[in-house]
Amino acid sequence: MGKNGSGKTTLINTLAGFYEVDSGSIVVNGVDVTGLEAYRRGIVVVNHNSHLPNMEVDDHLVYGLKLKGLSTDSKRLELVKSSLGINYNGKVGKLSLGMKLRVALATALLSTPKAILVDEVFSSLHDSVKALEAYKRLSGEWGIDVLYTTQSADEGKVADKLYLIESGRTSLLKSNNKPA
């Protein structure tokens, strides 16, 4: 959690492998990924531009699975759609911003990466806390780590661990719903 310009997006892009680190290491699920190219890290980034506008919604939702050569589990697909309030079948580009973001979040989740990094996306949803709680439940059940950035204290309350980032420095505010 942090204000504009505090370093949240830089952190997301560094963890994803879009920026090189000056020192230290990045460990995902116990594996040092610092030297790996972004596409080899098993991490998906969701931001306000994470959608393919010319795809149909259902094709978009399973796009990550198709890239991996995996089949679609129709029950899982319907569970994600209903949990995130996706109820439209047309071109993604014709959707509202909120629905585009829901589709992007669902696509990331259905692709079953090691981790999903979400950059200020939930704040653009009218029911951000409810959507975040549903996303947390599904990702937890499927063993997918999620790191999300926000400026919202209400969204921050949903996190298992909440860090404040100021001027590129982080401090732990709470861990598993207990103050740090």
Side-chain angles (χ1 to χ4, degrees):
M1 187 167 85
K3 297 178 183 177
N4 287 335
S6 62
K8 298 181 306 293
T9 299
T10 300
L11 175 63
I12 292 280
N13 289 331
T14 303
L15 293 172
F18 302 149
Y19 299 156
E20 290 185 20
V21 295
D22 294 331
S23 63
S25 60
I26 298 171
V27 178
V28 178
N29 294 331
V31 177
D32 185 346
V33 299
T34 310
L36 289 179
E37 297 93 343
Y39 72 95
R40 294 189 186 273
R41 293 185 181 201
I43 296 172
V44 173
V45 174
V46 180
N47 61 35
H48 284 85
N49 298 311
S50 297
H51 64 278
L52 301 168
N54 293 322
M55 290 186 88
E56 297 288 325
V57 169
D58 282 350
D59 292 336
H60 196 293
L61 293 172
V62 298
Y63 186 67
L65 288 171
K66 287 187 179 183
L67 288 176
K68 291 179 165 183
L70 301 174
S71 61
T72 304
D73 177 337
S74 59
K75 287 183 182 179
R76 192 176 259 207
L77 175 64
E78 291 307 316
L79 174 63
V80 170
K81 286 173 71 172
S82 65
S83 295
L84 295 180
I86 299 169
N87 54 11
Y88 178 83
N89 294 315
K91 297 279 187 194
V92 174
K94 300 283 185 184
L95 301 174
S96 67
L97 175 62
M99 192 59 69
K100 287 175 187 172
L101 296 174
R102 290 174 195 277
V103 169
L105 287 163
T107 301
L109 193 58
L110 288 164
S111 72
T112 61
K114 293 177 186 174
I116 301 171
L117 309 178
V118 183
D119 193 11
E120 300 262 1
V121 167
F122 290 103
S123 300
S124 295
L125 305 179
H126 74 276
D127 59 347
S128 63
V129 171
K130 180 181 173 187
L132 185 51
E133 288 170 341
Y135 207 73
K136 178 182 175 183
R137 180 180 49 78
L138 290 172
S139 62
E141 289 173 5
W142 298 348
I144 301 169
D145 292 325
V146 175
L147 183 145
Y148 65 95
T149 62
T150 185
Q151 296 180 44
S152 163
D154 288 337
E155 290 173 18
K157 291 176 186 175
V158 177
D160 290 330
K161 291 184 180 180
L162 178 63
Y163 291 85
L164 178 65
I165 186 166
E166 292 179 296
S167 303
R169 301 219 180 266
T170 59
S171 56
L172 181 64
L173 297 180
K174 77 166 187 165
S175 180
N176 298 317
N177 295 319
K178 297 177 185 170

